[in-house]
Amino acid sequence: IIEVLKSNNSNSDMIIFNYEIFEKGTDQLLKMIKCENRTELAMQIGIWRIVFRSEIFVGLRFPNLIMAEDQIYLMKCEIDSKKVQFVDKVSYKYFINDSNQLTNNKNAKQAVYLAFFEAYEEIKKAQIITDGIIF
């Protein structure tokens, strides 16, 4: 990340990196996830691989959720109106199949409902919903 920031002459609001998925307890690379555009970012949210310009945080609060808070926060960032740069470098290693991961907790998965509710409220604020139809 530091190398990219030092060599980066752009004025990007967000810099998106790729990441790798590993099996917990091994050095076995299962998959490398590349992100080359906004559509792919929407499908592979994970703010732990994004560098944000500090001005993005003005007036925004990270949602008080235990699941899907990354997705809600990115919605609040109004990513479509930001200058986003996609870098073909890996900045994060994600380990799966850890019994302590929140995504493996059945009670935490129920909290996703709260995230959907908050997402719906954000969409309404942006006036994207008209007559029950999402545009």
Side-chain angles (χ1 to χ4, degrees):
I1 293 173
I2 292 171
E3 281 179 25
V4 169
L5 291 175
K6 281 183 178 179
S7 66
N8 192 341
N9 295 324
S10 76
N11 59 350
S12 299
D13 296 313
M14 299 166 63
I15 302 174
I16 316 297
F17 289 85
N18 300 328
Y19 66 99
E20 297 172 327
I21 299 175
F22 286 82
E23 180 79 29
K24 182 184 183 284
T26 73
D27 288 331
Q28 180 182 356
L29 174 64
L30 300 176
K31 191 175 187 181
M32 201 252 290
I33 307 296
K34 295 185 113 192
C35 189
E36 299 174 330
N37 57 55
R38 293 170 197 258
T39 301
E40 290 175 351
L41 176 61
M43 301 299 290
Q44 315 159 5
I45 305 264
I47 64 170
W48 26 259
R49 65 192 173 102
I50 302 173
V51 175
F52 295 90
R53 181 176 298 283
S54 61
E55 289 83 4
I56 287 179
F57 296 106
V58 175
L60 291 181
R61 296 287 178 254
F62 208 78
N64 187 20
L65 299 169
I66 61 172
M67 292 287 286
E69 64 278 7
D70 296 12
Q71 291 86 344
I72 305 303
Y73 187 78
L74 277 178
M75 286 177 70
K76 291 180 179 186
C77 286
E78 298 177 1
I79 191 170
D80 289 340
S81 64
K82 304 295 183 206
K83 184 174 180 189
V84 179
Q85 177 184 355
F86 297 90
V87 177
D88 191 20
K89 292 189 181 288
V90 172
S91 70
Y92 193 84
K93 292 183 179 183
Y94 188 82
F95 291 87
I96 62 170
N97 296 329
D98 181 347
S99 61
N100 293 322
Q101 283 178 307
L102 190 57
T103 52
N104 290 328
N105 181 314
K106 289 181 183 177
N107 293 329
K109 287 182 180 180
Q110 294 172 357
V112 172
Y113 170 77
L114 296 174
F116 282 123
F117 179 76
E118 186 152 344
Y120 178 76
E121 292 301 315
E122 285 299 316
I123 291 168
K124 280 190 350 189
K125 282 182 197 173
Q127 298 178 349
I128 298 171
I129 296 180
T130 305
D131 298 327
I133 300 170
I134 301 177
F135 295 95

